[in-house]
Amino acid sequence: MEIVLYPHPVLRFKSRDVQVIDEDLRRVVGEMFQLMYAAKGVGLAANQVGIPLRFFIMNPSGDAAHPEQQQVLINPRVRKRSGAEIGEEGCLSLPGLHGDVVRDEKVTIEAFDLEGQEVRLELVDLPARIFQHEYDHLDGILFIDRIEEEDELEMVRDLRKFEDKFAEQQRAGEIPASVDIEKSLKSFASSGRLANFGLA
């Protein structure tokens, strides 16, 4: 398993609901936390590791030494939003890039945990921002879609470098053609489960 980088098609794929919470999912979640901490992140969505299903992990501390702050949110839904604040964001799928994004200051959300129990949380400030960033991922939205136009223009050169590298990897056969990736994603997502899915 590895974190996929922009502009991999899975990052623009609208993820499908998880249908089964099982040991496969729990194993993947454990591996995702290891990846997130190694990359010094505070959140990681399933599609960032090539899985087009609606779940993500987060830990506002970004520290494995604080497991009490870990959250696994499966099939999350936003029930209420309020306030607005601007803050700088980055993304593990766009390493090195940062930009200011306006987010809701407070969100009330519902989701399922790894035990299949429904949870309802009121998140504010950083946890609310992390949630919204990862929730966007599940809908194929990246933080660069929400930054000011002038900030986006400053990123054009860096984004092109990511795009050129991705194209080179496809030409070298290291990554399948985008049309084949999208076909595979649709097929896998329709099952809503991780069984028999080969993770790179």
Side-chain angles (χ1 to χ4, degrees):
M1 181 188 290
E2 62 184 12
I3 297 173
V4 299
L5 302 181
Y6 174 88
H8 194 291
V10 72
L11 297 175
R12 293 301 191 183
F13 189 87
K14 188 173 175 61
S15 299
R16 310 287 173 79
D17 280 351
V18 172
Q19 299 298 324
V20 178
I21 298 174
D22 56 14
E23 287 308 310
D24 289 320
L25 180 59
R26 295 184 183 95
R27 174 182 56 80
V28 164
V29 164
E31 293 179 16
M32 285 174 64
F33 271 115
Q34 291 178 23
L35 272 179
M36 184 187 78
Y37 292 133
K40 303 188 183 306
V42 293
L44 187 65
N47 53 351
Q48 289 182 273
V49 293
I51 301 172
L53 297 180
R54 298 186 72 82
F55 70 95
F56 59 80
I57 62 171
M58 54 185 279
N59 182 336
S61 75
D63 189 344
H66 293 285
E68 74 282 357
Q69 294 190 44
Q70 290 184 173
Q71 294 280 355
V72 180
L73 299 171
I74 301 168
N75 298 342
R77 302 173 299 281
V78 177
R79 293 308 190 195
K80 188 177 180 181
R81 305 172 182 265
S82 62
E85 61 179 9
I86 190 167
E88 186 179 72
E89 295 186 18
C91 181
L92 297 181
S93 292
L94 284 155
L97 299 189
H98 298 86
D100 288 336
V101 180
V102 177
R103 298 284 189 188
D104 300 310
E105 184 177 6
K106 180 179 178 179
V107 291
T108 301
I109 67 100
E110 291 177 353
F112 292 94
D113 63 18
L114 272 181
E115 304 307 316
Q117 299 299 310
E118 190 166 26
V119 295
R120 183 181 177 92
L121 302 171
E122 289 189 354
L123 305 174
V124 297
D125 300 326
L126 180 59
R129 178 170 295 275
I130 297 169
F131 174 90
Q132 291 170 82
H133 178 107
E134 304 305 331
Y135 189 78
D136 269 356
H137 268 301
L138 303 185
D139 289 325
I141 300 169
L142 301 176
F143 86 95
I144 56 174
D145 301 328
R146 296 193 181 279
I147 60 177
E148 295 292 331
E149 186 176 356
E150 59 186 35
D151 291 335
E152 186 177 5
L153 290 173
E154 292 179 4
M155 290 185 184
V156 168
R157 183 177 298 176
D158 291 320
L159 292 174
R160 190 155 295 154
K161 288 179 181 178
F162 280 108
E163 293 163 358
D164 290 345
K165 182 176 181 180
F166 187 77
E168 287 176 13
Q169 291 175 309
Q170 287 187 314
R171 285 193 294 270
E174 299 171 15
I175 297 176
S178 294
V179 64
D180 293 329
I181 293 174
E182 290 167 3
K183 182 178 179 181
S184 177
L185 289 172
K186 289 177 182 177
S187 176
F188 170 62
S190 65
S191 73
R193 57 187 303 163
L194 292 167
N196 303 319
F197 180 66
L199 296 175

